[in-house]
Amino acid sequence: MLRVLAVDDELPALEELVYLLREDLRIEQATGASDAAAALRDLSRMLVAGERLDAVFLDIRMPGLDGLDFSRLLTGFAAPPEVVFVTAHDDCAVAAYELGALDYLLKPVRPERLAEAVRRVDEAVHRALPPEDADAERPAEDEMVPVELGGRTRLVSRRAVTHVEAQGDYVRLHTGDGSYLVRMPLAALARRWEAAGFIRIHRSTLVASAHIRELRFDGGRAAVQVGDELLPVSRRHTREVRDLLVRRFRTGDPREDGPGA
């Protein structure tokens, strides 16, 4: 059962959100805070009391400390709660994703969309539990990545991403129908997507293991076939890639690549 906190400076919106959260049977406790400063006080009190907080459902545009700044502060906690943004503004989706937000909901919030966000929180909390506290292992859910395209925000499915290349402070996501820039370090994305079966094959390349079709060796150099592209594998990562493909061959189960495969 989940324990969550809703934060919104507009009282009617806050009351509605808390009501909807309490209606969800997966939620044990849902409380509200009228601004980010009050939310920080509530969170500090809970930590001192040894209480658990699984997620914060957070507005962005608030007086004083806004939702994005509040989310940045949460990263300083040893075990920060998951963050779901609930906002009337669609122009902060990319920034929210860069901060590690689990979901991004637009107001007015539809109950079925909120239920989907709660499900994602439940999945994330479940994956974080020690094995003895978790149920049978379940596949990692898909993730929608907001990307800027021609001045508009588009959502790209993680499952559609075949590989990722580092480009300075950005990463380029490659899919079957194009590529997209996201402002995020490759190392951070590698950690975020590791449970979904993404592996490093080079210091500047991350690959969805489910999309690897072949491992080739030529003159001591290794490369993997991903779609129509042949991507070089560094010596440092060759053994890891080879062992992964051997396990896949032996089990015949694509899930051997990782929960998200």
Side-chain angles (χ1 to χ4, degrees), residues 50-123:
E51 299 177 11
R52 187 187 80 250
L53 181 64
D54 297 306
V56 178
F57 288 75
L58 182 64
D59 191 13
I60 289 182
R61 302 287 171 81
M62 295 183 289
L65 189 68
D66 70 15
L68 294 176
D69 288 335
F70 178 82
S71 182
R72 292 185 183 95
L73 289 176
L74 290 180
T75 61
F77 288 88
E82 300 293 340
V83 173
V84 175
F85 283 105
V86 184
T87 177
H89 305 277
D90 63 359
D91 58 344
C92 296
V94 173
Y97 180 78
E98 291 171 359
L99 290 171
L102 191 65
D103 208 341
Y104 192 94
L105 279 63
L106 290 176
K107 297 177 181 179
V109 178
R110 293 179 290 110
E112 61 272 20
R113 183 65 183 87
L114 182 62
E116 169 65 13
V118 172
R119 183 190 63 76
R120 292 186 178 186
V121 170
D122 192 36
E123 290 285 347

Side-chain angles (χ1 to χ4, degrees), residues 206-222:
L206 186 67
V207 169
S209 55
H211 287 280
I212 297 176
R213 295 293 171 248
E214 185 180 3
L215 174 62
R216 299 183 184 181
F217 290 93
D218 184 10
R221 296 287 185 177

Side-chain angles (χ1 to χ4, degrees), residues 199-261:
I199 63 170
R200 293 287 283 267
I201 64 168
H202 192 277
R203 61 184 177 86
S204 62
T205 312
L206 186 67
V207 169
S209 55
H211 287 280
I212 297 176
R213 295 293 171 248
E214 185 180 3
L215 174 62
R216 299 183 184 181
F217 290 93
D218 184 10
R221 296 287 185 177
V224 291
Q225 186 75 43
V226 177
D228 295 329
E229 295 197 52
L230 193 62
L231 305 175
V233 180
S234 69
R235 294 183 186 276
R236 176 183 177 185
H237 294 94
T238 296
R239 181 171 182 175
E240 178 186 359
V241 175
R242 183 191 62 199
D243 290 349
L244 181 147
L245 295 179
V246 168
R247 290 197 304 271
R248 178 198 292 178
F249 175 78
R250 287 176 176 171
T251 62
D253 186 354
R255 289 176 298 179
E256 182 66 32
D257 299 336

Side-chain angles (χ1 to χ4, degrees), residues 9-28:
D9 64 305
E10 296 179 359
L11 185 58
L14 178 62
E15 292 176 342
E16 175 71 8
L17 181 56
V18 171
Y19 170 78
L20 292 174
L21 289 169
R22 289 175 177 170
E23 288 292 296
D24 195 303
L25 296 179
R26 292 164 294 191
I27 293 180
E28 173 187 3

